[in-house]
Every structure is written in structure tokens, then in C-alpha cells.
Amino acid sequence: MTLQVEILKQKFNQSLGLPFKELLPESVIEQGLWELKVKYKKRLFDPFITLWAFLSQVLDTDKSCHNAVSKIIAHLAGQGVEIPSSDTSAYCQARSRLPEQLLEKLFGKAAQNLEEKVKTEHLWCGRNVKVIDGSSVSMPDTGENQTAYPQPTNQKPGCGFPIAKIGVIFSLVTGAAVALAIDVLNTHDIKLARKLYSFLKPNDVLLGDRAFCAYADLISIKNLSCDAVFRKHQSRHTTMRKGKIIGSSDKLVTWHKPKKCPKGLTMAEFSALPLTLTVREIFYYIVIPDFRTEGVSLITTLLDITTYPTLKTVQLYYQRWQVELDLKHLKNTLGMDVFRCKTPSMVRKEIYAYLLAYNLLLPFDVVSRYYLWYTSKSPIAARYSPSFK
């Protein structure tokens, strides 16, 4: 999939005009503007031309506004209309007028269109799996950016760049980004995750690493009629003396409500938590040579071992690495690592523009990455040892 997106990116960069006009029709943008009740004037740099140019700009090797305006001129040259000036001020002003909510809405719509193409046989045990993770991005060192997204505290003033923390949910079946949260660098991953739970749909399964494995969050996910598969947090210990054994590496355990209110929760939210929660714990060893992790303990709210067998659950967690590859792909292949915009609002628009372009470039003949991987020879399927410590 990475190679396919790279090929499409190169094709779009080499084409004249505004190639995103074909992937993001004017009618779709018009619908988004109508839903947000956004009014605009009929002018050269209307929301349609501006958005198509913005998407091409973030993916282009030359990300300058001059290059974006040149693409607009090439597009209009074939329309038989008056060619605008090559000055960039009008385009920059039009880009700043684009509502952030419009980019967010179109980004979500592009992900939804991909998921609508997925067939039931491509899902994991009939469930749609979403993968969550966090990363960081830097931006120009301006006063506004430093105020909104301060540089790391261990750097001296003037020696670093503003950095934002982002949390992203990807669809495992399509590879599309479906939700985004942006905050300051020192924000914990779980705080970003709590902003993203609202994007989950009933019957989804959320897959994540140990940073997201918290009592309150498992309950929040269950309350949304969803389930979770997380690696167990290192502060909890695995033992055979507690729980009900349901398999050779599988047991049901009861977690108790924390005695103190965790950070990030209000007292009202803490008081509403139930006193106990039953979860399923799977412990296994990975015996792949030179593999960094040897013992893994998974926590999941999928309690039915018949519907969700142990091996399939272990294989699913192995696919969590896909989100690392997706984020790396966004940064390396598409260039979403260092942003160019000089204000926080434009930086957020730039992030959404990257994710929207990424979703639009994903192949239309969607086939589940998990399905392809699961039906092939998986190293984790044949080379793990189920056992409790």
C-alpha cells in the first residue's frame, strides 16, 4: 500500500493543474460547505480551487506557495479564462479563509468512503478494527506557534522548534486515517485517546499499546458498545494465582476500581466508574530470533474465547505495528514531519490536508491488510509459545 500511494503521489506531482479535482469533486466540497453553513463569494480563489491547490501543495516536493499558484495558473489556462497574477498573497489569504472544520469533515468523509467498500469477509472475526497511536510534528519557530505548541522544556529558548503531539486512529482494514487529535508535546497519549473515543462506531475493536491500557478507558470503550485489545500496562503484574483459566494461555481476571482518582478524570467521572471490571488476559512468549519483545501480556474486553480464539487475538495484536508504519509512511513518504505554516490554525489545517490527501490517494480496490496478512504465512502464528509466568 505504501508503494501504491508513493506511485500516485509521484503521478500527481508530475501532472499539470490540480489533479485532486478528480479525487475530490466539487459536489463533495459543496456539500461540506452547506453542512457547515459556510458562505463564500464567487471569486478566483474560491474554496474549491484553493482546497485542490492546498492538497497538491502539501504533497509536492516544492511546497512553496509560488508553486501552488503556478498549478492554479496551469489549471485555469485550459479553462479559457483570464490568467491571474503569479503573486501569492491572494492564494495565501484564500487558504487562511478555508474553515478548519471543512478540512476535518472532508477528511472523515474520505475515510468513510473507503470503509463502505469493505466486505464482511475482510473484517477480523466480523469486527472492524481501529488502531490508535501517537506521534509528534514540528513547525516554524514563530511566536504564535511557540505559544500554542511550546518546544521541549529541556531545550534552551531559541534553540528548538515548536512541537505538537498528535493522536491518530487508523482503520486496520483500509489503512485510512479516521480520527485526529492535536495537543501540546507533553500531553500523555491517553489524554489524546480520550478525545478520539467519540469517533469509534458500535462494534469496533480498538487496538493499542500499553499506554492506553487503563481501567477507566476500558470502561469508556465498553460504554460505546466497542471492545479493546491492549498490551497490559507495565505497572500490573501477571500471575497464575488469580483469575479463571479458560485456555493454555488465557484467563479471565477481575480488575478493581482504583482507590484514587487518576489524572485526567474528574471526580464525577471517577465516581461513575463501576467497582469491578472483568477482562481477559493472554500471556505468550515470542520466540523469533532478535525480536525485541520476548513476553507479551494482552488485556482485552473480548471475553468469548470461542468467537475470538486465542491465536487470532495474538495475531491481531501483532498487526498493531501497522499503525507505526502508517505514521512513518505519512512522515517519510508524504512529508508530514516538518510543517511550513506560521500560525497554529494554519498548522492544524496543514495536518488535516495531509491526512485528507493520504486518504484520497489510498487505492480504491480496498482489500483488508489484515486479511492478506492472515491468509499468508504469519511469523507470529507459528512461532509463539503460550504460557503464563
Side-chain angles (χ1 to χ4, degrees):
M1 186 171 292
T2 300
L3 179 60
Q4 290 172 306
V5 173
E6 173 66 18
I7 292 172
L8 286 173
K9 176 192 172 185
Q10 294 298 333
K11 179 181 177 181
F12 274 39
N13 287 343
Q14 293 170 4
S15 62
L16 297 175
L18 304 175
F20 275 98
K21 181 179 180 181
E22 305 299 326
L23 295 182
L24 187 63
E26 184 174 330
S27 59
V28 176
I29 304 175
E30 181 69 45
Q31 177 68 20
L33 291 168
W34 180 81
E35 291 176 0
L36 294 173
K37 300 180 180 179
V38 175
K39 297 182 179 180
Y40 60 93
K41 296 181 180 179
K42 291 291 184 180
R43 60 180 91 191
L44 175 60
F45 294 103
D46 58 23
F48 312 103
I49 296 292
T50 306
L51 182 53
W52 292 330
F54 195 11
L55 294 175
S56 297
Q57 181 183 5
V58 296
L59 294 188
D60 208 311
T61 305
D62 181 1
K63 300 180 184 296
S64 66
C65 290
H66 284 285
N67 186 53
V69 172
S70 68
K71 286 183 175 291
I72 295 175
I73 293 174
H75 170 73
L76 295 176
Q79 305 293 323
V81 298
E82 182 180 355
I83 303 300
S85 168
S86 60
D87 183 71
T88 62
S89 59
Y91 167 69
C92 292
Q93 292 175 27
R95 199 176 61 163
S96 65
R97 288 194 298 267
L98 281 175
E100 182 179 332
Q101 294 82 358
L102 175 63
L103 290 166
E104 182 180 2
K105 180 177 286 292
L106 294 175
F107 148 68
K109 180 64 176 176
Q112 181 182 345
N113 289 341
L114 286 171
E115 292 199 355
E116 289 175 353
K117 302 175 184 291
V118 175
K119 298 179 181 179
T120 305
E121 58 265 27
H122 293 155
L123 300 177
W124 179 81
C125 296
R127 305 285 292 272
N128 200 343
V129 179
K130 304 294 177 59
V131 195
I132 187 171
D133 204 5
S135 187
S136 59
V137 291
S138 64
M139 60 198 74
D141 189 12
T142 65
E144 290 182 80
N145 286 342
Q146 280 283 9
T147 301
Y149 305 108
Q151 68 185 59
T153 55
N154 59 354
Q155 294 178 336
K156 294 183 179 180
C159 297
F161 290 89
I163 299 180
K165 185 77 171 286
I166 62 172
V168 188
I169 291 181
F170 289 89
S171 170
L172 182 62
V173 68
T174 66
V178 299
L180 169 72
I182 310 170
D183 213 322
V184 296
L185 179 62
N186 61 357
T187 304
H188 194 280
D189 286 348
I190 205 166
K191 182 178 179 181
L192 287 174
R194 288 167 182 166
K195 296 180 180 180
L196 296 172
Y197 293 155
S198 60
F199 292 94
L200 296 176
K201 298 178 181 179
N203 210 40
D204 280 351
V205 176
L206 186 62
L207 185 63
D209 62 18
R210 60 179 55 171
F212 307 100
C213 188
Y215 184 90
D217 292 77
L218 290 172
I219 292 173
S220 297
I221 294 169
K222 287 293 294 181
N223 290 340
L224 294 171
S225 299
C226 299
D227 286 291
V229 178
F230 297 145
R231 187 175 176 185
K232 188 167 72 170
H233 196 272
Q234 61 271 21
S235 62
R236 292 182 177 269
H237 301 286
T238 301
T239 176
M240 274 289 292
R241 289 174 291 181
K242 295 182 180 180
K244 176 184 177 182
I245 303 298
I246 57 176
S248 60
S249 63
D250 228 328
K251 64 178 180 179
L252 299 179
V253 295
T254 300
W255 282 10
H256 296 275
K257 179 179 176 179
K259 296 180 180 180
K260 295 182 180 180
C261 180
K263 293 181 180 180
L265 293 182
T266 64
M267 285 304 301
E269 292 171 334
F270 179 67
S271 301
L273 295 177
L275 297 178
T276 61
L277 172 67
T278 301
V279 297
R280 180 178 165 197
E281 181 175 355
I282 304 171
F283 185 85
Y284 58 94
Y285 291 103
I286 299 176
V287 293
I288 302 176
D290 300 324
F291 204 79
R292 183 181 65 181
T293 301
E294 295 182 355
V296 177
S297 183
L298 300 183
I299 297 296
T300 177
T301 55
L302 300 168
L303 306 183
D304 189 346
I305 192 172
T306 303
T307 306
Y308 312 104
T310 304
L311 180 57
K312 280 193 174 183
T313 308
V314 170
Q315 290 173 326
L316 177 64
Y317 185 74
Y318 185 74
Q319 282 293 285
R320 193 204 67 82
W321 186 249
Q322 287 289 351
V323 73
E324 305 280 354
L325 299 180
D326 288 334
L327 287 170
K328 184 177 181 180
H329 174 42
L330 280 167
K331 287 187 172 184
N332 295 346
T333 307
L334 302 188
M336 198 190 84
D337 189 11
V338 179
F339 295 110
R340 298 174 60 90
C341 294
K342 298 182 179 180
T343 63
S345 62
M346 282 304 303
V347 167
R348 291 191 294 271
K349 292 178 188 179
E350 194 174 358
I351 295 175
Y352 277 115
Y354 269 106
L355 294 177
L356 173 57
Y358 168 74
N359 285 350
L360 291 173
L361 288 178
L362 287 175
F364 287 107
D365 52 336
V366 176
V367 178
S368 167
R369 296 182 298 176
Y370 174 82
Y371 179 77
L372 291 176
W373 170 85
Y374 179 67
T375 53
S376 64
K377 291 184 178 180
S378 161
I380 210 70
R383 305 179 71 180
Y384 90 104
S385 174
S387 177
F388 282 118
K389 283 184 177 179

Coordinates of all heavy atoms in Angstrom, one line a residue, residues 300-346:
T300 N -7.9 -7.7 27.0 CA -9.0 -7.4 26.1 C -10.3 -7.6 26.8 O -10.4 -8.3 27.8 CB -8.9 -8.4 24.9 OG1 -10.0 -8.1 24.0 CG2 -8.9 -9.8 25.3
T301 N -11.3 -6.9 26.3 CA -12.7 -7.0 26.7 C -13.4 -8.0 25.9 O -14.6 -8.2 26.1 CB -13.4 -5.6 26.7 OG1 -13.3 -5.1 25.4 CG2 -12.7 -4.6 27.7
L302 N -12.8 -8.7 25.0 CA -13.4 -9.7 24.2 C -13.3 -11.0 25.0 O -12.3 -11.7 24.9 CB -12.6 -9.9 22.8 CG -12.6 -8.7 21.9 CD1 -11.6 -8.9 20.8 CD2 -14.0 -8.4 21.4
L303 N -14.3 -11.3 25.7 CA -14.3 -12.4 26.7 C -14.6 -13.8 26.1 O -14.3 -14.8 26.7 CB -15.3 -12.1 27.9 CG -15.1 -10.7 28.6 CD1 -16.0 -10.6 29.7 CD2 -13.6 -10.6 29.0
D304 N -15.3 -13.9 25.0 CA -15.7 -15.1 24.4 C -14.6 -15.8 23.6 O -14.2 -15.3 22.5 CB -16.9 -14.9 23.5 CG -17.6 -16.2 23.0 OD1 -16.9 -17.3 23.2 OD2 -18.7 -16.1 22.5
I305 N -14.0 -16.8 24.2 CA -12.8 -17.5 23.6 C -13.2 -18.3 22.3 O -12.4 -18.5 21.5 CB -12.1 -18.4 24.6 CG1 -10.8 -18.9 24.1 CG2 -13.0 -19.6 24.9 CD1 -10.0 -19.6 25.1
T306 N -14.5 -18.6 22.2 CA -15.0 -19.3 21.0 C -15.1 -18.4 19.8 O -14.6 -18.7 18.7 CB -16.4 -20.0 21.3 OG1 -16.3 -20.9 22.4 CG2 -16.8 -20.8 20.1
T307 N -15.7 -17.2 20.0 CA -15.8 -16.3 18.9 C -14.5 -15.6 18.6 O -14.2 -15.3 17.4 CB -16.8 -15.2 19.3 OG1 -18.1 -15.8 19.7 CG2 -17.1 -14.3 18.2
Y308 N -13.7 -15.4 19.6 CA -12.4 -14.7 19.5 C -11.3 -15.6 20.0 O -10.8 -15.4 21.1 CB -12.4 -13.3 20.2 CG -13.6 -12.5 19.9 CD1 -14.7 -12.4 20.8 CD2 -13.8 -11.9 18.6 CE1 -15.8 -11.7 20.5 CE2 -14.9 -11.1 18.3 CZ -15.9 -11.0 19.3 OH -17.0 -10.3 19.0
P309 N -10.8 -16.6 19.2 CA -9.8 -17.6 19.7 C -8.5 -16.9 20.1 O -8.2 -15.8 19.7 CB -9.6 -18.5 18.5 CG -10.9 -18.3 17.7 CD -11.3 -16.9 17.9
T310 N -7.8 -17.6 21.0 CA -6.5 -17.0 21.5 C -5.6 -16.7 20.4 O -5.0 -15.6 20.4 CB -5.9 -18.0 22.5 OG1 -6.8 -18.4 23.5 CG2 -4.6 -17.5 23.1
L311 N -5.4 -17.6 19.5 CA -4.4 -17.4 18.4 C -4.8 -16.2 17.5 O -3.9 -15.4 17.2 CB -4.3 -18.6 17.5 CG -3.3 -18.5 16.4 CD1 -1.9 -18.2 16.9 CD2 -3.2 -19.9 15.6
K312 N -6.1 -16.1 17.2 CA -6.5 -14.9 16.4 C -6.3 -13.6 17.1 O -5.9 -12.6 16.5 CB -8.0 -15.1 16.0 CG -8.2 -16.0 14.8 CD -9.6 -15.9 14.3 CE -9.8 -16.7 13.1 NZ -11.2 -16.6 12.5
T313 N -6.5 -13.6 18.4 CA -6.3 -12.4 19.2 C -4.8 -12.0 19.2 O -4.4 -10.8 19.1 CB -6.8 -12.5 20.6 OG1 -8.2 -13.0 20.5 CG2 -6.8 -11.2 21.4
V314 N -3.9 -13.0 19.4 CA -2.5 -12.8 19.4 C -2.1 -12.3 18.0 O -1.3 -11.3 17.9 CB -1.7 -14.1 19.7 CG1 -0.2 -13.9 19.5 CG2 -2.0 -14.5 21.2
Q315 N -2.6 -12.9 16.9 CA -2.3 -12.4 15.6 C -2.8 -11.0 15.4 O -2.1 -10.2 14.7 CB -2.9 -13.3 14.6 CG -2.3 -14.7 14.5 CD -3.1 -15.6 13.6 OE1 -4.3 -15.5 13.5 NE2 -2.4 -16.5 12.9
L316 N -3.9 -10.6 15.9 CA -4.4 -9.3 15.8 C -3.5 -8.2 16.4 O -3.2 -7.2 15.8 CB -5.8 -9.2 16.4 CG -6.4 -7.8 16.4 CD1 -6.7 -7.3 15.0 CD2 -7.7 -7.7 17.2
Y317 N -3.0 -8.6 17.6 CA -2.1 -7.6 18.3 C -0.8 -7.4 17.5 O -0.2 -6.3 17.5 CB -1.8 -8.0 19.7 CG -1.0 -6.9 20.4 CD1 -1.6 -5.7 20.8 CD2 0.4 -7.1 20.6 CE1 -0.8 -4.8 21.4 CE2 1.1 -6.1 21.2 CZ 0.5 -4.9 21.6 OH 1.3 -4.0 22.2
Y318 N -0.4 -8.5 16.8 CA 0.8 -8.3 16.0 C 0.6 -7.3 14.9 O 1.6 -6.6 14.5 CB 1.1 -9.7 15.4 CG 2.4 -9.8 14.6 CD1 3.7 -9.8 15.2 CD2 2.4 -9.8 13.2 CE1 4.9 -9.8 14.5 CE2 3.6 -9.9 12.5 CZ 4.8 -9.9 13.1 OH 6.0 -9.9 12.4
Q319 N -0.6 -7.1 14.5 CA -0.9 -6.1 13.4 C -0.9 -4.7 14.0 O -1.0 -3.8 13.2 CB -2.3 -6.4 12.8 CG -2.2 -7.6 11.8 CD -1.4 -7.2 10.6 OE1 -1.9 -6.5 9.7 NE2 -0.2 -7.7 10.5
R320 N -0.8 -4.5 15.3 CA -0.7 -3.2 15.8 C 0.5 -2.4 15.2 O 0.4 -1.2 15.1 CB -0.5 -3.2 17.3 CG -0.8 -1.9 18.0 CD -0.1 -1.8 19.4 NE 1.4 -1.8 19.2 CZ 2.1 -0.7 18.9 NH1 1.5 0.4 18.7 NH2 3.4 -0.8 18.9
W321 N 1.5 -3.1 14.8 CA 2.7 -2.4 14.2 C 2.3 -1.7 12.9 O 3.0 -0.8 12.5 CB 3.7 -3.5 13.9 CG 5.0 -2.9 13.4 CD1 5.6 -3.0 12.2 CD2 5.9 -2.1 14.2 NE1 6.8 -2.3 12.1 CE2 7.0 -1.7 13.4 CE3 6.0 -1.6 15.5 CZ2 8.1 -0.9 13.8 CZ3 7.0 -0.9 16.0 CH2 8.1 -0.5 15.1
Q322 N 1.2 -2.0 12.3 CA 0.7 -1.3 11.1 C 0.6 0.2 11.4 O 0.9 1.0 10.5 CB -0.6 -1.9 10.6 CG -0.5 -3.3 9.9 CD 0.2 -3.2 8.6 OE1 0.5 -2.2 8.1 NE2 0.6 -4.4 8.1
V323 N 0.1 0.6 12.6 CA -0.1 2.0 12.8 C 1.3 2.7 12.9 O 1.4 3.9 12.5 CB -0.9 2.2 14.1 CG1 -0.1 1.9 15.4 CG2 -1.4 3.6 14.2
E324 N 2.3 2.0 13.4 CA 3.6 2.6 13.4 C 4.1 2.8 11.9 O 4.7 3.9 11.6 CB 4.6 1.7 14.1 CG 4.2 1.3 15.5 CD 4.5 2.4 16.5 OE1 5.2 3.4 16.1 OE2 4.2 2.2 17.7
L325 N 3.8 1.9 11.0 CA 4.2 2.0 9.6 C 3.4 3.1 9.0 O 3.9 3.8 8.1 CB 4.0 0.7 8.9 CG 4.8 -0.5 9.4 CD1 4.5 -1.7 8.6 CD2 6.3 -0.2 9.4
D326 N 2.1 3.2 9.3 CA 1.2 4.3 8.7 C 1.8 5.7 9.1 O 1.8 6.6 8.2 CB -0.2 4.1 9.2 CG -0.9 2.9 8.6 OD1 -0.5 2.5 7.5 OD2 -1.8 2.4 9.2
L327 N 2.1 5.9 10.4 CA 2.6 7.2 10.8 C 4.0 7.5 10.1 O 4.3 8.6 9.7 CB 2.7 7.2 12.3 CG 1.4 7.3 13.0 CD1 1.6 7.1 14.5 CD2 0.8 8.7 12.8
K328 N 4.8 6.4 10.1 CA 6.1 6.6 9.4 C 5.9 6.9 7.9 O 6.7 7.7 7.3 CB 7.0 5.3 9.6 CG 8.4 5.4 9.0 CD 9.2 4.2 9.3 CE 10.6 4.3 8.7 NZ 11.4 3.1 9.0
H329 N 5.0 6.3 7.3 CA 4.6 6.5 5.9 C 4.2 7.9 5.7 O 4.6 8.6 4.7 CB 3.5 5.5 5.5 CG 3.0 5.7 4.1 ND1 3.8 6.0 3.0 CD2 1.8 5.7 3.6 CE1 3.1 6.1 1.9 NE2 1.9 5.9 2.3
L330 N 3.3 8.5 6.6 CA 2.9 9.8 6.5 C 4.1 10.8 6.6 O 4.1 11.8 5.8 CB 1.9 10.1 7.6 CG 0.4 9.7 7.3 CD1 -0.4 9.8 8.6 CD2 -0.2 10.5 6.2
K331 N 5.0 10.5 7.5 CA 6.1 11.4 7.7 C 7.2 11.3 6.5 O 7.7 12.3 6.1 CB 6.8 11.1 9.0 CG 6.0 11.6 10.2 CD 6.8 11.4 11.5 CE 6.0 12.0 12.7 NZ 6.8 12.0 13.9
N332 N 7.5 10.1 6.2 CA 8.6 9.9 5.2 C 8.1 10.0 3.8 O 8.7 10.7 3.0 CB 9.3 8.5 5.4 CG 10.0 8.5 6.8 OD1 10.2 9.5 7.4 ND2 10.3 7.3 7.2
T333 N 7.1 9.3 3.4 CA 6.6 9.3 2.0 C 5.9 10.5 1.6 O 6.2 11.1 0.6 CB 5.7 8.1 1.8 OG1 6.3 6.9 2.2 CG2 5.3 7.9 0.3
L334 N 5.0 11.0 2.5 CA 4.2 12.2 2.2 C 4.8 13.5 2.7 O 4.4 14.6 2.4 CB 2.8 12.0 2.7 CG 2.0 10.8 2.2 CD1 0.6 10.9 2.6 CD2 2.1 10.7 0.6
G335 N 5.8 13.4 3.6 CA 6.5 14.6 4.1 C 5.8 15.3 5.3 O 6.1 16.5 5.5
M336 N 4.9 14.6 6.0 CA 4.2 15.2 7.1 C 5.1 15.1 8.4 O 4.8 14.4 9.4 CB 2.9 14.5 7.4 CG 1.9 15.3 8.2 SD 0.4 14.4 8.7 CE 1.0 13.6 10.2
D337 N 6.2 15.8 8.4 CA 7.1 15.7 9.5 C 7.4 17.1 10.0 O 7.2 17.4 11.2 CB 8.4 15.0 9.1 CG 9.3 14.8 10.3 OD1 8.9 14.9 11.4 OD2 10.5 14.4 10.1
V338 N 7.8 18.0 9.1 CA 8.0 19.4 9.5 C 7.1 20.3 8.7 O 7.1 20.2 7.4 CB 9.5 19.8 9.2 CG1 9.7 21.3 9.5 CG2 10.4 18.9 9.9
F339 N 6.2 21.0 9.3 CA 5.2 21.9 8.7 C 5.8 23.2 8.3 O 6.8 23.6 8.9 CB 4.0 22.0 9.5 CG 3.3 20.7 9.7 CD1 3.2 20.1 11.0 CD2 2.6 20.1 8.7 CE1 2.6 18.9 11.1 CE2 2.0 18.8 8.8 CZ 2.0 18.3 10.1
R340 N 5.1 23.9 7.5 CA 5.6 25.2 7.0 C 4.8 26.4 7.4 O 5.3 27.5 7.4 CB 5.6 25.2 5.4 CG 6.5 24.2 4.8 CD 6.4 24.1 3.3 NE 6.7 25.4 2.7 CZ 7.9 25.7 2.3 NH1 8.9 24.9 2.4 NH2 8.1 26.9 1.7
C341 N 3.6 26.2 7.9 CA 2.7 27.3 8.2 C 3.1 28.0 9.5 O 3.7 27.3 10.4 CB 1.2 26.8 8.4 SG 0.6 26.2 6.8
K342 N 2.9 29.2 9.6 CA 3.4 30.0 10.7 C 2.4 30.4 11.8 O 2.8 31.1 12.7 CB 4.0 31.3 10.1 CG 5.2 31.1 9.1 CD 5.8 32.3 8.6 CE 6.9 32.0 7.6 NZ 7.5 33.2 7.1
T343 N 1.2 29.9 11.7 CA 0.2 30.1 12.8 C -0.4 28.8 13.2 O -0.5 27.9 12.4 CB -0.9 31.1 12.3 OG1 -1.6 30.5 11.2 CG2 -0.3 32.4 11.9
P344 N -0.8 28.7 14.4 CA -1.4 27.4 14.9 C -2.6 26.9 14.1 O -2.7 25.7 13.8 CB -1.7 27.7 16.4 CG -0.8 28.8 16.8 CD -0.7 29.6 15.5
S345 N -3.4 27.9 13.7 CA -4.6 27.5 13.0 C -4.3 26.9 11.6 O -4.8 25.9 11.1 CB -5.6 28.7 12.8 OG -5.0 29.7 12.1
M346 N -3.3 27.5 10.9 CA -2.8 27.0 9.6 C -2.1 25.7 9.8 O -2.2 24.9 8.9 CB -2.0 28.1 8.9 CG -2.7 29.2 8.3 SD -4.0 28.7 7.1 CE -3.1 27.7 6.0

